[in-house]
PDB file of all heavy atoms in Angstrom:
ATOM      1  N   TYR A 257     -76.495  36.393 -59.095  1.00  0.00           N
ATOM      2  CA  TYR A 257     -77.742  36.972 -59.599  1.00  0.00           C
ATOM      3  C   TYR A 257     -78.304  37.877 -58.523  1.00  0.00           C
ATOM      4  O   TYR A 257     -79.064  38.744 -58.777  1.00  0.00           O
ATOM      5  CB  TYR A 257     -78.713  36.025 -60.064  1.00  0.00           C
ATOM      6  CG  TYR A 257     -78.951  34.856 -58.963  1.00  0.00           C
ATOM      7  CD1 TYR A 257     -79.856  34.993 -58.020  1.00  0.00           C
ATOM      8  CD2 TYR A 257     -78.307  33.651 -59.173  1.00  0.00           C
ATOM      9  CE1 TYR A 257     -80.046  34.021 -57.064  1.00  0.00           C
ATOM     10  CE2 TYR A 257     -78.468  32.704 -58.108  1.00  0.00           C
ATOM     11  CZ  TYR A 257     -79.341  32.815 -57.122  1.00  0.00           C
ATOM     12  OH  TYR A 257     -79.562  31.837 -56.211  1.00  0.00           O
ATOM     13  N   SER A 258     -78.112  37.680 -57.171  1.00  0.00           N
ATOM     14  CA  SER A 258     -78.665  38.466 -56.090  1.00  0.00           C
ATOM     15  C   SER A 258     -78.322  39.874 -56.137  1.00  0.00           C
ATOM     16  O   SER A 258     -79.080  40.837 -55.996  1.00  0.00           O
ATOM     17  CB  SER A 258     -78.238  37.809 -54.674  1.00  0.00           C
ATOM     18  OG  SER A 258     -78.808  36.666 -54.527  1.00  0.00           O
ATOM     19  N   GLN A 259     -77.037  40.133 -56.514  1.00  0.00           N
ATOM     20  CA  GLN A 259     -76.552  41.465 -56.695  1.00  0.00           C
ATOM     21  C   GLN A 259     -77.274  42.279 -57.843  1.00  0.00           C
ATOM     22  O   GLN A 259     -77.573  43.416 -57.682  1.00  0.00           O
ATOM     23  CB  GLN A 259     -74.974  41.500 -56.886  1.00  0.00           C
ATOM     24  CG  GLN A 259     -74.443  42.871 -56.924  1.00  0.00           C
ATOM     25  CD  GLN A 259     -72.912  42.844 -57.158  1.00  0.00           C
ATOM     26  OE1 GLN A 259     -72.321  41.943 -57.506  1.00  0.00           O
ATOM     27  NE2 GLN A 259     -72.289  43.968 -56.829  1.00  0.00           N
ATOM     28  N   ARG A 260     -77.460  41.487 -58.934  1.00  0.00           N
ATOM     29  CA  ARG A 260     -78.174  42.055 -60.042  1.00  0.00           C
ATOM     30  C   ARG A 260     -79.610  42.426 -59.767  1.00  0.00           C
ATOM     31  O   ARG A 260     -80.099  43.495 -60.133  1.00  0.00           O
ATOM     32  CB  ARG A 260     -78.119  41.087 -61.215  1.00  0.00           C
ATOM     33  CG  ARG A 260     -76.741  41.061 -61.882  1.00  0.00           C
ATOM     34  CD  ARG A 260     -76.585  39.888 -62.752  1.00  0.00           C
ATOM     35  NE  ARG A 260     -75.339  39.777 -63.509  1.00  0.00           N
ATOM     36  CZ  ARG A 260     -74.208  39.273 -63.088  1.00  0.00           C
ATOM     37  NH1 ARG A 260     -74.158  38.654 -61.940  1.00  0.00           N
ATOM     38  NH2 ARG A 260     -73.168  39.268 -63.699  1.00  0.00           N
ATOM     39  N   VAL A 261     -80.294  41.432 -59.007  1.00  0.00           N
ATOM     40  CA  VAL A 261     -81.674  41.756 -58.603  1.00  0.00           C
ATOM     41  C   VAL A 261     -81.746  43.000 -57.622  1.00  0.00           C
ATOM     42  O   VAL A 261     -82.612  43.861 -57.881  1.00  0.00           O
ATOM     43  CB  VAL A 261     -82.285  40.439 -57.958  1.00  0.00           C
ATOM     44  CG1 VAL A 261     -83.637  40.915 -57.236  1.00  0.00           C
ATOM     45  CG2 VAL A 261     -82.569  39.340 -58.991  1.00  0.00           C
ATOM     46  N   GLY A 262     -80.960  42.967 -56.658  1.00  0.00           N
ATOM     47  CA  GLY A 262     -80.858  44.153 -55.795  1.00  0.00           C
ATOM     48  C   GLY A 262     -80.589  45.327 -56.494  1.00  0.00           C
ATOM     49  O   GLY A 262     -81.263  46.452 -56.072  1.00  0.00           O
ATOM     50  N   ARG A 263     -79.645  45.491 -57.377  1.00  0.00           N
ATOM     51  CA  ARG A 263     -79.330  46.729 -58.081  1.00  0.00           C
ATOM     52  C   ARG A 263     -80.458  47.105 -58.954  1.00  0.00           C
ATOM     53  O   ARG A 263     -80.824  48.339 -58.922  1.00  0.00           O
ATOM     54  CB  ARG A 263     -78.127  46.402 -58.926  1.00  0.00           C
ATOM     55  CG  ARG A 263     -77.567  47.603 -59.711  1.00  0.00           C
ATOM     56  CD  ARG A 263     -76.967  48.682 -58.837  1.00  0.00           C
ATOM     57  NE  ARG A 263     -76.485  49.690 -59.683  1.00  0.00           N
ATOM     58  CZ  ARG A 263     -76.583  50.993 -59.426  1.00  0.00           C
ATOM     59  NH1 ARG A 263     -77.212  51.424 -58.388  1.00  0.00           N
ATOM     60  NH2 ARG A 263     -76.077  51.986 -60.249  1.00  0.00           N
ATOM     61  N   MET A 264     -81.194  46.140 -59.515  1.00  0.00           N
ATOM     62  CA  MET A 264     -82.378  46.593 -60.365  1.00  0.00           C
ATOM     63  C   MET A 264     -83.400  47.142 -59.555  1.00  0.00           C
ATOM     64  O   MET A 264     -84.050  48.120 -59.784  1.00  0.00           O
ATOM     65  CB  MET A 264     -82.766  45.355 -61.116  1.00  0.00           C
ATOM     66  CG  MET A 264     -83.953  45.773 -62.034  1.00  0.00           C
ATOM     67  SD  MET A 264     -84.741  44.190 -62.917  1.00  0.00           S
ATOM     68  CE  MET A 264     -85.682  43.618 -61.476  1.00  0.00           C
ATOM     69  N   LYS A 265     -83.649  46.571 -58.329  1.00  0.00           N
ATOM     70  CA  LYS A 265     -84.751  47.024 -57.457  1.00  0.00           C
ATOM     71  C   LYS A 265     -84.356  48.492 -56.995  1.00  0.00           C
ATOM     72  O   LYS A 265     -85.167  49.401 -56.896  1.00  0.00           O
ATOM     73  CB  LYS A 265     -84.879  46.186 -56.211  1.00  0.00           C
ATOM     74  CG  LYS A 265     -85.577  44.913 -56.532  1.00  0.00           C
ATOM     75  CD  LYS A 265     -85.645  44.126 -55.042  1.00  0.00           C
ATOM     76  CE  LYS A 265     -86.579  43.049 -55.082  1.00  0.00           C
ATOM     77  NZ  LYS A 265     -86.705  42.279 -53.789  1.00  0.00           N
ATOM     78  N   VAL A 266     -83.061  48.738 -56.688  1.00  0.00           N
ATOM     79  CA  VAL A 266     -82.617  50.053 -56.172  1.00  0.00           C
ATOM     80  C   VAL A 266     -82.848  51.101 -57.311  1.00  0.00           C
ATOM     81  O   VAL A 266     -83.308  52.214 -57.053  1.00  0.00           O
ATOM     82  CB  VAL A 266     -81.160  50.031 -55.646  1.00  0.00           C
ATOM     83  CG1 VAL A 266     -80.655  51.357 -55.531  1.00  0.00           C
ATOM     84  CG2 VAL A 266     -81.104  49.301 -54.328  1.00  0.00           C
ATOM     85  N   LEU A 267     -82.296  50.724 -58.393  1.00  0.00           N
ATOM     86  CA  LEU A 267     -82.428  51.653 -59.552  1.00  0.00           C
ATOM     87  C   LEU A 267     -83.868  52.037 -59.981  1.00  0.00           C
ATOM     88  O   LEU A 267     -84.255  53.108 -60.271  1.00  0.00           O
ATOM     89  CB  LEU A 267     -81.735  51.110 -60.863  1.00  0.00           C
ATOM     90  CG  LEU A 267     -80.231  51.020 -60.828  1.00  0.00           C
ATOM     91  CD1 LEU A 267     -79.638  50.202 -61.929  1.00  0.00           C
ATOM     92  CD2 LEU A 267     -79.676  52.390 -60.808  1.00  0.00           C
ATOM     93  N   PHE A 268     -84.773  50.986 -59.933  1.00  0.00           N
ATOM     94  CA  PHE A 268     -86.190  51.373 -60.231  1.00  0.00           C
ATOM     95  C   PHE A 268     -86.785  52.152 -59.140  1.00  0.00           C
ATOM     96  O   PHE A 268     -87.489  53.175 -59.469  1.00  0.00           O
ATOM     97  CB  PHE A 268     -86.905  49.975 -60.347  1.00  0.00           C
ATOM     98  CG  PHE A 268     -88.475  50.172 -60.638  1.00  0.00           C
ATOM     99  CD1 PHE A 268     -88.792  50.513 -61.827  1.00  0.00           C
ATOM    100  CD2 PHE A 268     -89.344  50.022 -59.541  1.00  0.00           C
ATOM    101  CE1 PHE A 268     -90.246  50.766 -62.166  1.00  0.00           C
ATOM    102  CE2 PHE A 268     -90.646  50.175 -59.817  1.00  0.00           C
ATOM    103  CZ  PHE A 268     -91.126  50.585 -61.072  1.00  0.00           C
ATOM    104  N   THR A 269     -86.496  51.812 -57.888  1.00  0.00           N
ATOM    105  CA  THR A 269     -86.999  52.633 -56.724  1.00  0.00           C
ATOM    106  C   THR A 269     -86.540  54.121 -56.838  1.00  0.00           C
ATOM    107  O   THR A 269     -87.290  55.075 -56.611  1.00  0.00           O
ATOM    108  CB  THR A 269     -86.640  52.028 -55.437  1.00  0.00           C
ATOM    109  OG1 THR A 269     -87.181  50.628 -55.397  1.00  0.00           O
ATOM    110  CG2 THR A 269     -87.167  52.785 -54.232  1.00  0.00           C
ATOM    111  N   GLN A 270     -85.320  54.384 -57.107  1.00  0.00           N
ATOM    112  CA  GLN A 270     -84.703  55.610 -57.372  1.00  0.00           C
ATOM    113  C   GLN A 270     -85.436  56.426 -58.555  1.00  0.00           C
ATOM    114  O   GLN A 270     -85.733  57.593 -58.393  1.00  0.00           O
ATOM    115  CB  GLN A 270     -83.246  55.551 -57.567  1.00  0.00           C
ATOM    116  CG  GLN A 270     -82.514  55.202 -56.350  1.00  0.00           C
ATOM    117  CD  GLN A 270     -81.040  55.020 -56.600  1.00  0.00           C
ATOM    118  OE1 GLN A 270     -80.519  54.846 -57.715  1.00  0.00           O
ATOM    119  NE2 GLN A 270     -80.167  55.068 -55.529  1.00  0.00           N
ATOM    120  N   ALA A 271     -85.692  55.593 -59.668  1.00  0.00           N
ATOM    121  CA  ALA A 271     -86.326  56.308 -60.630  1.00  0.00           C
ATOM    122  C   ALA A 271     -87.815  56.687 -60.315  1.00  0.00           C
ATOM    123  O   ALA A 271     -88.250  57.802 -60.748  1.00  0.00           O
ATOM    124  CB  ALA A 271     -86.318  55.327 -61.908  1.00  0.00           C
ATOM    125  N   LEU A 272     -88.475  55.937 -59.505  1.00  0.00           N
ATOM    126  CA  LEU A 272     -89.841  56.260 -59.093  1.00  0.00           C
ATOM    127  C   LEU A 272     -89.752  57.442 -58.191  1.00  0.00           C
ATOM    128  O   LEU A 272     -90.651  58.376 -58.235  1.00  0.00           O
ATOM    129  CB  LEU A 272     -90.439  55.125 -58.285  1.00  0.00           C
ATOM    130  CG  LEU A 272     -91.163  53.953 -59.022  1.00  0.00           C
ATOM    131  CD1 LEU A 272     -91.782  52.968 -58.031  1.00  0.00           C
ATOM    132  CD2 LEU A 272     -92.036  54.561 -59.994  1.00  0.00           C
ATOM    133  N   ARG A 273     -88.746  57.543 -57.333  1.00  0.00           N
ATOM    134  CA  ARG A 273     -88.533  58.551 -56.422  1.00  0.00           C
ATOM    135  C   ARG A 273     -88.411  59.957 -57.249  1.00  0.00           C
ATOM    136  O   ARG A 273     -88.959  61.030 -56.927  1.00  0.00           O
ATOM    137  CB  ARG A 273     -87.293  58.479 -55.472  1.00  0.00           C
ATOM    138  CG  ARG A 273     -87.156  59.525 -54.559  1.00  0.00           C
ATOM    139  CD  ARG A 273     -86.036  59.288 -53.493  1.00  0.00           C
ATOM    140  NE  ARG A 273     -86.294  58.232 -52.676  1.00  0.00           N
ATOM    141  CZ  ARG A 273     -85.700  57.111 -52.502  1.00  0.00           C
ATOM    142  NH1 ARG A 273     -84.485  56.980 -53.302  1.00  0.00           N
ATOM    143  NH2 ARG A 273     -85.892  56.041 -51.894  1.00  0.00           N
ATOM    144  N   GLY A 274     -87.634  59.867 -58.293  1.00  0.00           N
ATOM    145  CA  GLY A 274     -87.434  61.030 -59.146  1.00  0.00           C
ATOM    146  C   GLY A 274     -88.724  61.398 -59.894  1.00  0.00           C
ATOM    147  O   GLY A 274     -88.849  62.531 -60.264  1.00  0.00           O
ATOM    148  N   LYS A 275     -89.540  60.579 -59.937  1.00  0.00           N
ATOM    149  CA  LYS A 275     -90.967  60.846 -60.602  1.00  0.00           C
ATOM    150  C   LYS A 275     -91.964  61.347 -59.535  1.00  0.00           C
ATOM    151  O   LYS A 275     -93.095  61.577 -59.904  1.00  0.00           O
ATOM    152  CB  LYS A 275     -91.538  59.793 -61.437  1.00  0.00           C
ATOM    153  CG  LYS A 275     -90.579  59.209 -62.552  1.00  0.00           C
ATOM    154  CD  LYS A 275     -90.637  60.200 -63.690  1.00  0.00           C
ATOM    155  CE  LYS A 275     -89.755  59.747 -64.849  1.00  0.00           C
ATOM    156  NZ  LYS A 275     -89.593  60.714 -65.876  1.00  0.00           N
ATOM    157  N   GLY A 276     -91.565  61.264 -58.334  1.00  0.00           N
ATOM    158  CA  GLY A 276     -92.498  61.600 -57.263  1.00  0.00           C
ATOM    159  C   GLY A 276     -93.542  60.509 -56.965  1.00  0.00           C
ATOM    160  O   GLY A 276     -94.713  60.770 -56.660  1.00  0.00           O
ATOM    161  N   CYS A 277     -93.326  59.236 -57.416  1.00  0.00           N
ATOM    162  CA  CYS A 277     -94.261  58.137 -57.387  1.00  0.00           C
ATOM    163  C   CYS A 277     -94.246  57.209 -56.134  1.00  0.00           C
ATOM    164  O   CYS A 277     -94.913  56.350 -55.982  1.00  0.00           O
ATOM    165  CB  CYS A 277     -94.178  57.376 -58.556  1.00  0.00           C
ATOM    166  SG  CYS A 277     -94.542  58.212 -60.018  1.00  0.00           S
ATOM    167  N   LEU A 278     -93.298  57.554 -55.197  1.00  0.00           N
ATOM    168  CA  LEU A 278     -93.078  56.626 -54.101  1.00  0.00           C
ATOM    169  C   LEU A 278     -94.172  56.969 -53.016  1.00  0.00           C
ATOM    170  O   LEU A 278     -94.672  58.127 -52.793  1.00  0.00           O
ATOM    171  CB  LEU A 278     -91.685  56.786 -53.442  1.00  0.00           C
ATOM    172  CG  LEU A 278     -90.534  56.234 -54.153  1.00  0.00           C
ATOM    173  CD1 LEU A 278     -89.327  56.469 -53.354  1.00  0.00           C
ATOM    174  CD2 LEU A 278     -90.845  54.755 -54.255  1.00  0.00           C
ATOM    175  N   PRO A 279     -94.697  55.816 -52.295  1.00  0.00           N
ATOM    176  CA  PRO A 279     -95.617  56.051 -51.241  1.00  0.00           C
ATOM    177  C   PRO A 279     -94.989  57.002 -50.102  1.00  0.00           C
ATOM    178  O   PRO A 279     -93.760  56.982 -49.949  1.00  0.00           O
ATOM    179  CB  PRO A 279     -95.767  54.653 -50.658  1.00  0.00           C
ATOM    180  CG  PRO A 279     -95.289  53.713 -51.673  1.00  0.00           C
ATOM    181  CD  PRO A 279     -94.238  54.374 -52.509  1.00  0.00           C
ATOM    182  N   THR A 280     -95.774  57.744 -49.513  1.00  0.00           N
ATOM    183  CA  THR A 280     -95.262  58.696 -48.525  1.00  0.00           C
ATOM    184  C   THR A 280     -95.236  58.048 -47.036  1.00  0.00           C
ATOM    185  O   THR A 280     -94.631  58.549 -46.128  1.00  0.00           O
ATOM    186  CB  THR A 280     -96.180  59.967 -48.439  1.00  0.00           C
ATOM    187  OG1 THR A 280     -97.485  59.583 -48.227  1.00  0.00           O
ATOM    188  CG2 THR A 280     -95.904  60.702 -49.766  1.00  0.00           C
TER     189      THR A 280
END
Side-chain angles (χ1 to χ4, degrees):
Y257 53 83
S258 294
Q259 184 179 16
R260 289 167 171 86
V261 169
R263 180 75 174 134
M264 186 186 72
K265 284 180 167 184
V266 165
L267 289 169
F268 179 76
T269 301
Q270 289 173 342
L272 279 183
R273 182 176 295 124
K275 300 286 183 190
C277 299
L278 284 180
T280 55

